[in-house]
Amino acid sequence: MDDVERVEAAMVAVRRRQSRRALARLQGVAGPVHDVLDVVEAGGPVTVSALAQALGVDQPRASRMVAAAVAAGLVAREADQSDGRRSVLAMTEAGRAAAEQAHEARRAVFGSAMEGWTEAERAEFARLLTRFVQALPG
């Protein structure tokens, strides 16, 4: 197996083990609500249509996901400043707290996976992984 094949296999394993839903289960957050927070936190004006596209779901499914996040008090619909007929999604204070809790939980999982690594190994891995991700299309 060459290096590129090993990277591909590792990335597939990461995707399977660390999907949004798998990480959400670790944090005790419902998967669809966690997905909404993840997209809204990424930034930019997020509409239901933009959310559907980002998550690869249809419009009715995205609407249900948003409704659940709104009902949970994690996301609010706000009027779009550039087009008052359209609403954008914004995280509430509770949503920001839940997102921060998610970040802490992920960092704990990743830190545990690198337990026993030297600081130099962690730094090099972070540098190379960041460089790799930045070079990916999309």
Side-chain angles (χ1 to χ4, degrees):
M1 183 180 286
D2 72 16
D3 291 339
V4 174
E5 289 172 318
R6 288 180 30 229
V7 168
E8 188 243 352
M11 294 304 292
V12 168
V14 166
R15 182 182 52 80
R16 287 180 181 150
R17 292 181 192 165
Q18 301 300 308
S19 69
R20 286 182 177 135
R21 295 221 194 297
L23 289 170
R25 279 192 299 276
L26 289 173
Q27 300 153 30
V29 178
V33 172
H34 183 271
D35 292 348
V36 172
L37 284 178
D38 189 47
V39 172
V40 173
E41 184 181 38
V46 178
T47 62
V48 174
S49 296
L51 180 88
Q53 183 176 5
L55 296 177
V57 299
D58 61 23
Q59 186 85 17
R61 171 95 173 112
S63 292
R64 288 191 300 275
M65 294 169 73
V66 168
V70 169
L74 302 175
V75 173
R77 295 176 194 259
E78 298 178 348
D80 184 340
Q81 297 302 314
S82 63
D83 182 352
R85 299 168 295 174
R86 179 172 91 153
S87 65
V88 293
L89 306 173
M91 270 201 261
T92 63
E93 188 62 38
R96 283 187 289 282
E100 182 53 36
Q101 182 180 4
H103 289 298
E104 289 173 8
R106 283 191 294 255
R107 286 190 294 264
V109 168
F110 300 154
S112 176
M114 292 185 286
E115 198 168 298
W117 291 24
T118 67
E119 279 301 313
E121 289 170 327
R122 285 178 180 227
E124 183 67 358
F125 180 69
R127 184 185 72 75
L128 290 172
L129 184 59
T130 300
R131 181 177 165 193
F132 176 79
V133 170
Q134 289 172 342
L136 290 173

